[in-house]
Amino acid sequence: MSSAGRFLSLSAFIFIFLFPAAFASESDHKYQVNDPVTLWVNKVGPYNNPQETYNYYILPFCRPAGDSPHKWGGLGEVLGGNELIDSLINITFRKNVDKSLICQLDLTADKVAQFKDAIENSYWFEFFMDDLPLWGFVGELHPDKNSDNRKHVLYTHKSITVKYNNDQIIHVNLSQETPKPLEDGIIWDMTYSVKWVPTNITFGRRFDVYLDYPFFEHQIHWFSIFNSFMMVIFLTGLVSMILMRTLRNDYAKYAREDDDLETLERDVSEESGWKLVHGDVFRPPRNLVLLSAVVGTGAQLALLVLLVILLAIVAMLYVGRGAIVTTFIVCYALTSFISGYVSGGMYSRHGGKSWIKSMILTASLFPFMCFGIGFILNTIAIFYGSLAAIPFGTMVVVFVIWAFISFPLALLGTVVGRNWSGAPNNPCRVKTIPRPIPEKKWYLTPSVVSMMGGLLPFGSIFIEMYFVFTSFWNYKVYYVYGFMLLVFLILIIVSVCVTIVGTYFLLNAENYHWQWTSFFSAASTAVYVYFYSIYYYHVKTKMSGFFQTSFYFGYTLMFCLGLGILCGAVGYLGSNLFVSRIYRNIKCD
């Protein structure tokens, strides 16, 4: 074969590999009459434990002879624990199927025991047809007329109703019928039927049936947004009216002319508060490398969340399996420049010298924290044989994205940040000898200010956390990203206002260690969210078992770490602007 021929063959192979569905009806969702329609089996697991899912054929259902084709989705779909296998059930477009045999299920003692255990644990399963999900339960417990016990019954017939509009599938529904008792030595016929029904619903609205409008657009949801908005108005008014009035009085006192020597000496002798620490307030904070890394990472996460929410609103990402997760990973890699830029500039402005150490920590801090938690959860999933276990190939793909996209962009951002925004711009000169910090009342200590600072930001997102948790842990599709955008902006504003007030109180107490305090003051929001997750687990869910408990608190910990870093960075950056502004307007010696 010539070089040109080999090149064309290779190009065709790469094109087919990257876009395998471009030649299949399922990719463009258009079918001709009598075209084959694939019914994909996905997973099965206990209904009360959403993450404890297994391969559908872990139960002794009828399995097609030979190796069934698999459908490999995107990165987010694999991370979401999906494994689609062709059921090889004969379904053709717009052709009704009367009761037909799938297979004969020969019930042995082991199979009966497996099915009974699944029924007692309320096992459900998930199928897909044309990217539309179908759900059903394996069986149920029926009262036994001859005794006080309940008998286990297995559904043996699957009735599938498909609604179509011209050449496109609009809706699919699965009804479980013909329950049969589970008894050793009996052979049951496993059957199915398909009914095609025309509809006027357009293809663009076909996913609406899966959206729970009464739940997400409930009056309480609207009231929570209004309540949070009123909190923003109150806090911004507090900062502008009370804080600015106090500062204006301070400025007036500090800017008096020295024509009255006696008055000036009296004012100086009585001088106290934030003005006294002007020679220490811009002193480099402890653990500068770590603070720079978390602030840079938090700035990246803030931009990342905003970007993903906007994409979810515009592109309706909730429609695709794993689309949100894939978008999050890709956008995280592409926004790594921001973390490097913010971290590098901050580290250089405070006189840091080990910029390579700062850059490596910034690029790897959050990913490696998530990797550590994910490694533990993945080990548990492998031990249980669950689909939640991440395949090795997927791990390699994620690592390649981090190593060849995220890490270089963080390095580039650090270099640009050091050169463009790394010059010191402190309005006051830092004194050589640190000023001693006087003892103050307990409520003005950094630890108390930090823990109190997270209460109002948590209050602003409290109701939204309920909807987010319910959608993630209770099989609801979260689609109200407009609400999430408003709540996110409210969270940012409230976090900035709260940390500014806390920083001012701290400086008035002549404590100039405001950097970490401002970070933790906003980051403590995540602590309250984690406490709320414990309440939600015990009161709002019926989860049980080591597997699901580990995944629930592991995923929640991962989420809260990201939320804490995001809020902490926003709080620090807001306080930094505030401190620079107030000390720029006074006369520093």
Side-chain angles (χ1 to χ4, degrees):
M1 184 182 294
S2 65
S3 300
R6 286 195 296 269
F7 176 76
L8 290 174
S9 300
L10 180 61
S11 301
F13 172 78
I14 293 174
F15 182 80
I16 294 173
F17 178 77
L18 292 177
F19 308 100
F23 307 100
S25 298
E26 192 168 329
S27 69
D28 57 11
H29 304 285
K30 292 185 178 181
Y31 300 85
Q32 300 298 322
V33 178
N34 293 327
D35 277 354
V37 179
T38 304
L39 179 66
W40 302 93
V41 301
N42 187 21
K43 54 191 175 184
V44 66
Y47 181 77
N48 292 326
N49 294 347
Q51 272 61 51
E52 188 179 350
T53 56
Y54 305 94
N55 186 294
Y56 177 76
Y57 292 115
I58 196 175
L59 293 179
F61 287 114
C62 299
R63 184 162 190 168
D67 293 332
S68 300
H70 284 59
K71 182 180 180 181
W72 303 106
L75 181 62
E77 183 176 344
V78 177
L79 292 174
N82 293 289
E83 184 180 8
L84 273 61
I85 304 173
D86 192 344
S87 65
L88 297 183
I89 294 177
N90 185 24
I91 301 175
T92 54
F93 187 69
R94 294 178 61 174
K95 181 179 180 181
N96 293 333
V97 178
D98 295 328
K99 190 174 184 179
S100 299
L101 183 68
I102 301 175
C103 72
Q104 289 186 320
L105 184 61
D106 186 3
L107 292 174
T108 63
D110 290 340
K111 292 181 180 179
V112 169
Q114 284 182 271
F115 278 125
K116 284 185 175 181
D117 181 70
I119 292 171
E120 289 172 359
N121 288 281
S122 301
Y123 267 51
W124 67 287
F125 61 83
E126 182 179 58
F127 293 168
F128 279 95
M129 179 186 290
D130 194 50
D131 289 335
L132 294 174
L134 303 89
W135 300 286
F137 284 94
V138 173
E140 63 179 345
L141 291 169
H142 278 186
D144 192 344
K145 297 180 181 180
N146 300 323
S147 66
D148 294 334
N149 299 325
R150 292 186 298 174
K151 60 181 180 180
H152 302 74
V153 297
L154 179 72
Y155 293 115
T156 60
H157 181 73
K158 292 176 171 56
S159 177
I160 302 173
T161 303
V162 187
K163 294 183 180 180
Y164 67 93
N165 187 343
N166 294 325
D167 58 352
Q168 294 178 314
I169 294 175
I170 304 301
H171 179 62
V172 291
N173 183 65
L174 173 65
S175 298
Q176 294 274 80
E177 301 173 358
T178 319
K180 299 289 186 179
L182 285 167
E183 297 179 7
D184 184 11
I186 296 181
I187 299 177
W188 292 123
D189 290 341
M190 306 299 291
T191 58
Y192 78 102
S193 62
V194 182
K195 183 179 181 181
W196 294 85
V197 180
T199 181
N200 293 324
I201 300 174
T202 61
F203 183 82
R205 303 299 299 261
R206 72 173 190 158
F207 209 82
D208 290 0
V209 69
Y210 301 102
L211 307 181
D212 193 344
Y213 292 105
F215 176 76
F216 284 104
E217 298 185 36
H218 194 274
Q219 196 173 19
I220 293 178
H221 206 168
W222 286 101
F223 177 76
S224 69
I225 298 294
F226 176 77
N227 183 53
S228 299
F229 182 71
M230 294 303 296
M231 185 183 297
V232 168
I233 295 178
F234 169 75
L235 282 175
T236 52
L238 176 68
V239 171
S240 60
M241 292 177 62
I242 300 177
L243 193 55
M244 290 298 106
R245 173 183 289 184
T246 304
L247 290 175
R248 191 181 302 113
N249 293 336
D250 289 341
Y251 288 144
K253 182 178 70 173
Y254 296 140
R256 287 175 185 171
E257 297 294 334
D258 56 350
D259 53 348
D260 187 346
L261 185 59
E262 181 180 352
T263 302
L264 179 62
E265 290 176 352
R266 183 173 63 251
D267 286 344
V268 171
S269 64
E270 296 175 355
E271 190 175 84
S272 61
W274 59 274
K275 173 65 165 59
L276 289 178
V277 296
H278 70 270
D280 299 278
V281 73
F282 295 105
R283 193 176 299 281
R286 302 185 183 98
N287 299 317
L288 175 61
V289 173
L290 180 59
L291 182 60
S292 300
V294 292
V295 170
T297 302
Q300 177 192 358
L301 290 178
L303 177 64
L304 170 66
V305 170
L306 180 62
L307 183 61
V308 171
I309 293 175
L310 292 176
L311 288 174
I313 294 173
V314 174
M316 294 194 304
L317 296 180
Y318 57 84
V319 173
R321 293 186 305 274
I324 291 290
V325 177
T326 303
T327 304
F328 188 90
I329 293 174
V330 173
C331 290
Y332 179 87
L334 296 178
T335 55
S336 297
F337 176 86
I338 302 299
S339 64
Y341 180 85
V342 174
S343 174
M346 175 182 169
Y347 186 70
S348 181
R349 283 194 301 272
H350 288 88
K353 302 299 181 183
S354 304
W355 69 271
I356 296 180
K357 180 180 178 181
S358 173
M359 182 273 298
I360 294 175
L361 186 61
T362 303
S364 59
L365 178 65
F366 185 67
F368 276 63
M369 285 194 301
C370 293
F371 173 79
I373 299 172
F375 179 80
I376 296 173
L377 298 181
N378 205 54
T379 303
I380 296 173
I382 293 173
F383 178 79
Y384 276 81
S386 171
L387 287 179
I390 302 174
F392 178 75
T394 305
M395 295 182 187
V396 173
V397 171
V398 174
F399 177 78
V400 168
I401 292 175
W402 176 80
F404 292 96
I405 300 178
S406 179
F407 189 84
L409 285 177
L411 172 61
L412 177 63
T414 303
V415 174
V416 174
R418 289 179 64 244
N419 290 281
W420 286 11
S421 63
N425 58 353
N426 299 332
C428 297
R429 187 172 54 195
V430 177
K431 295 181 178 179
T432 306
I433 301 175
R435 179 187 179 87
I437 301 175
E439 292 187 6
K440 294 291 181 180
K441 295 183 178 180
W442 63 271
Y443 53 82
L444 290 176
T445 58
S447 57
V448 175
V449 172
S450 297
M451 290 307 300
M452 295 297 291
L455 281 174
L456 287 179
F458 171 71
S460 68
I461 64 172
F462 168 71
I463 300 298
E464 196 65 27
M465 282 296 99
Y466 169 75
F467 288 100
V468 172
F469 274 54
T470 302
S471 64
F472 190 79
W473 301 110
N474 284 323
Y475 305 105
K476 291 185 182 294
V477 179
Y478 189 93
Y479 68 95
V480 285
Y481 287 95
F483 281 98
M484 182 176 284
L485 177 61
L486 290 175
V487 171
F488 177 70
L489 295 177
I490 289 171
L491 173 64
I492 297 298
I493 297 172
V494 172
S495 298
V496 170
C497 291
V498 166
T499 50
I500 286 177
V501 173
T503 299
Y504 177 72
F505 287 154
L506 197 70
L507 295 177
N508 254 352
E510 301 178 25
N511 188 336
Y512 48 85
H513 295 309
W514 62 271
Q515 292 95 337
W516 276 109
T517 304
S518 64
F519 179 87
F520 285 122
S521 181
S524 62
T525 304
V527 177
Y528 295 107
V529 171
Y530 201 80
F531 286 155
Y532 171 74
S533 72
I534 298 174
Y535 162 81
Y536 186 89
Y537 175 83
H538 289 287
V539 176
K540 300 295 184 180
T541 72
K542 297 180 180 179
M543 299 177 187
S544 61
F546 178 74
F547 180 97
Q548 184 60 39
T549 302
S550 301
F551 267 72
Y552 177 87
F553 288 106
Y555 280 161
T556 305
L557 178 60
M558 203 180 299
F559 169 76
C560 288
L561 284 173
L563 179 65
I565 293 174
L566 186 157
C567 293
V570 169
Y572 169 83
L573 293 174
S575 296
N576 184 61
L577 290 175
F578 168 75
V579 172
S580 299
R581 179 65 181 270
I582 64 174
Y583 283 98
R584 187 173 290 115
N585 293 327
I586 65 172
K587 298 177 181 179
C588 299
D589 296 334

